[in-house]
Amino acid sequence: MKIGIDAGGTLTKMVIIDKDNHYSFDVRPTSQVDLLIKELNEMDDIKVYLTGGQSVYISENIRHESHLSIEFDATYVGLKKLMDRAGIHLDKFVYLNVGTGTSFHQADQNSQVRVGGTGVGGGTLMGLSYLLTGIESFEDIVEESKKGSRDTLDLKVKHIFKGGPSPLPGDLTASNFAHVEHGHFETATNADKIASVIGLVAETVTSFGVTLANGFGTEDMVFLGSTLNDNQVMRDVIYSYGPMKGIKPYIIEHGEFSGALGSILVFTE
């Protein structure tokens, strides 16, 4: 049995490939890395493949031989496999790994180059949402967001032109949180606040990605990362905002496991 582990700053993602080449996925907080090490040391007949910030620590503390790979290389290899399995075949594309922060990459069929990053990402989403609402867990945050409306707090083009002729689509955001008015501190719901936070994160990272895609000569933009999990508000923003900016967005299912999967494939394919 092969176990690929991407031990990141917040979450540790795992892909298990059995003897029949069946994939299974698991995720847990990186704060529980010592428990994971204990579990691995109790297992027999496994091959361990590691990437991510905690990979060396895990390697030094397990009794099994392990193979370490560079995170960006592993993520690219795993992403390509997941895209192939999903029937997504792109010759040239930009991909955004939306984790705690967001990493930006330009890629083709043979290689990738990391071209930058931003501190805006899932950590921003969780931190701002908690400060504004007191809701702490990611699952509760994304569930609450589904009940919200960004029109309450975000200034949209339609708010400026108010039904008159507009040079831009009415739902395009003119300014995040700029529709806040007197009394909103008491009346804006937690759902509205979180929906606007998610909109800010999604539009910010997508805007960065658009610039990189234009410079790379592609319209195709791929999104992966744990921040997208069950996050329908963020997905909706990406699928609506992206085409307004002239790109074709793709959200890869199980994309957050690209690094863990790739850590195996780098050594086995």
Side-chain angles (χ1 to χ4, degrees), residues 13-83:
K13 286 79 65 177
M14 292 184 288
V15 174
I16 300 168
I17 303 180
D18 64 20
K19 59 182 178 59
D20 297 318
N21 204 37
H22 176 263
Y23 293 11
S24 58
F25 304 92
D26 189 19
V27 63
R28 63 184 67 190
T30 297
S31 59
Q32 298 178 6
V33 65
D34 289 323
L35 176 59
L36 173 60
I37 289 170
K38 181 176 182 294
E39 292 174 6
L40 292 171
N41 284 335
E42 292 172 350
M43 300 173 72
D44 295 314
D45 195 25
I46 63 171
K47 296 180 180 179
V48 180
Y49 303 85
L50 297 161
T51 193
Q54 295 286 319
S55 58
V56 173
Y57 177 75
I58 295 173
S59 176
E60 291 175 343
N61 287 280
I62 58 174
R63 65 182 181 87
H64 307 282
E65 179 183 354
S66 59
H67 306 271
L68 278 72
S69 57
I70 298 171
E71 182 177 356
F72 297 143
D73 294 338
T75 298
Y76 169 75
V77 172
L79 174 62
K80 287 295 301 300
K81 174 65 74 171
L82 291 172
M83 289 172 64

Side-chain angles (χ1 to χ4, degrees), residues 27 47 92 103 121 127 129 138 141 144 158 189-190 192 203 239:
V27 63
K47 296 180 180 179
K92 192 176 185 180
S103 184
S129 296
F138 177 79
I141 285 170
E144 186 70 17
K158 64 186 176 185
T189 67
N190 285 344
D192 291 340
E203 290 176 354
Y239 283 131

Side-chain angles (χ1 to χ4, degrees), residues 131-259:
L131 287 175
L132 288 171
T133 70
I135 300 174
E136 193 166 3
S137 79
F138 177 79
E139 292 76 15
D140 290 342
I141 285 170
V142 296
E143 189 61 32
E144 186 70 17
S145 73
K146 297 172 185 177
K147 300 179 286 186
S149 170
R150 294 184 61 208
D151 284 356
T152 304
L153 302 176
D154 290 343
L155 185 68
K156 302 289 188 70
V157 169
K158 64 186 176 185
H159 295 139
I160 297 173
F161 288 90
K162 299 188 177 185
S166 169
L168 297 168
D171 278 334
L172 192 65
T173 303
S175 181
N176 300 90
F177 284 95
H179 203 222
V180 174
E181 299 173 347
H182 179 74
H184 269 155
F185 183 79
E186 290 83 14
T187 62
T189 67
N190 285 344
D192 291 340
K193 294 173 186 176
I194 294 173
S196 288
V197 169
I198 291 175
L200 182 151
V201 172
E203 290 176 354
T204 297
V205 300
T206 302
S207 291
F208 275 112
V210 168
T211 301
L212 296 173
N214 289 340
F216 195 48
T218 182
E219 297 178 344
D220 295 317
M221 188 181 300
V222 172
F223 293 80
L224 62 147
S226 301
T227 309
L228 298 160
N229 285 353
D230 195 35
N231 194 340
Q232 194 57 51
V233 171
M234 188 166 192
R235 289 168 177 251
D236 289 345
V237 172
I238 289 169
Y239 283 131
S240 62
Y241 185 72
M244 288 184 195
K245 293 291 189 175
I247 66 143
K248 299 175 182 176
Y250 302 84
I251 296 176
I252 306 302
E253 295 305 316
H254 299 303
E256 68 273 23
F257 296 98
S258 295

